Amino acid sequence: NAGVMQNPRHLVRRRGQEARLRCSPMKGHSHVYWYRQLPEEGLKFMVYLQKENIIDESGMPKERFSAEFPKEGPSILRIQQVVRGDSAAYFCASSAADRETQYFGPGTRLLVL
Amino acid sequence: QKEVEQNSGPLSVPEGAIASLNCTYSDRGSQSFFWYRQYSGKSPELIMFIYSNGDKEDGRFTAQLNKASQYVSLLIRDSQPSDSATYLCAVNTGNQFYFGTGTSLTVIP
């Protein structure tokens, strides 16, 4: 019974490097959401994708951040030229439809040195 | 105005007591409502969802929804130390999920 999978679980990058975070949704789910959580803060919506489509990216910074969910393979959140402020936990969630319950993956903890 | 507001707490209750967690939302068009539990350093875990006005019970948990007052609550009966966590309220407006900042609950043995 595979739930939402994310990798890596922990990622360390130096300032200026690129970070790639992967998310495989739960079996049968075609909707993927990415969230960022800073220490002691709530979940902040970043982007909502379906296969090969970005549905809502209103929460994503306009520069350096991009997301995709290709026809084959996991969804990827890409952060270019990382800065220390990007250090956070990034959670992926999936649902079967856009009004259905979301289930979360274990998250990727990104640390930028 | 935040889409979803929760009292950040911390809320402390003795073991065996009822813990009451509250949440208000701003969008009257919101369609579905969720409670997640998040342990420190872990990912959010779904506890309950509710779509209709009234109460919904699942074991020791009861979710209450009042759309007229734009209010959602979660009651935890017979609180256990293992219930100590941050509880996140989430609202689906049809376009997006919005999360509150969470209420920290501590159950004292």
Side-chain angles (χ1 to χ4, degrees):
Chain A
N1 180 21
V4 180
M5 297 172 67
Q6 289 187 250
N7 67 81
R9 297 287 297 273
H10 299 273
L11 182 61
V12 179
R13 285 286 179 266
R14 296 192 180 280
R15 281 179 296 170
Q17 292 184 319
E18 178 179 288
R20 281 191 181 223
L21 287 61
R22 296 175 189 79
C23 169
S24 295
M26 193 177 286
K27 186 177 181 181
H29 286 187
S30 57
H31 298 248
V32 166
Y33 308 79
W34 285 94
Y35 296 87
R36 177 165 62 180
Q37 188 175 41
L38 294 168
E40 307 303 322
E41 293 190 13
L43 287 164
K44 298 296 184 186
F45 168 80
M46 298 183 73
V47 61
Y48 161 35
L49 310 103
Q50 295 178 30
K51 285 283 188 182
E52 299 185 280
N53 283 306
I54 297 174
I55 307 302
D56 183 347
E57 56 182 348
S58 58
M60 198 136 77
K62 288 182 171 40
E63 297 180 353
R64 303 189 297 110
F65 286 73
S66 62
E68 63 177 5
F69 189 13
K71 187 176 180 180
E72 301 292 337
S75 174
I76 295 175
L77 178 67
R78 182 181 177 205
I79 311 173
Q80 295 178 292
Q81 299 175 325
V82 295
V83 300
R84 288 205 174 126
D86 296 332
S87 296
Y90 291 83
F91 292 102
C92 165
S94 74
S95 69
D98 62 356
R99 291 176 177 77
E100 292 291 323
T101 305
Q102 294 186 1
Y103 295 90
F104 282 82
T108 295
R109 273 79 179 166
L110 172 65
L111 176 62
V112 179
L113 301 177
Chain B
Q1 181 186 8
K2 291 184 178 179
E3 295 285 343
V4 179
E5 298 213 40
Q6 294 182 254
N7 187 332
S8 62
L11 174 67
S12 295
V13 300
E15 184 174 355
I18 296 175
S20 178
L21 305 162
N22 305 314
C23 170
T24 58
Y25 60 94
S26 61
D27 187 342
R28 284 195 172 275
S30 299
Q31 301 169 358
S32 47
F33 308 85
F34 306 84
W35 282 100
Y36 288 84
R37 176 175 62 198
Q38 187 175 26
Y39 293 112
S40 180
K42 302 294 184 182
S43 62
E45 172 192 10
L46 180 69
I47 298 176
M48 290 193 71
F49 59 88
I50 186 167
Y51 300 142
S52 304
N53 274 330
D55 295 359
K56 180 181 179 181
E57 187 174 317
D58 184 1
R60 296 188 294 113
F61 299 96
T62 299
Q64 298 174 318
L65 173 61
N66 183 328
K67 289 187 177 181
S69 301
Q70 296 175 240
Y71 177 90
V72 191
S73 67
L74 179 70
L75 299 177
I76 307 175
R77 290 182 300 281
D78 188 23
S79 295
Q80 302 297 310
S82 59
D83 294 327
S84 299
T86 296
Y87 289 80
L88 303 171
C89 172
V91 172
N92 186 341
T93 63
N95 294 321
Q96 201 177 108
F97 279 79
Y98 292 94
F99 283 81
T101 53
T103 297
S104 175
L105 172 67
T106 299
V107 179
I108 303 167

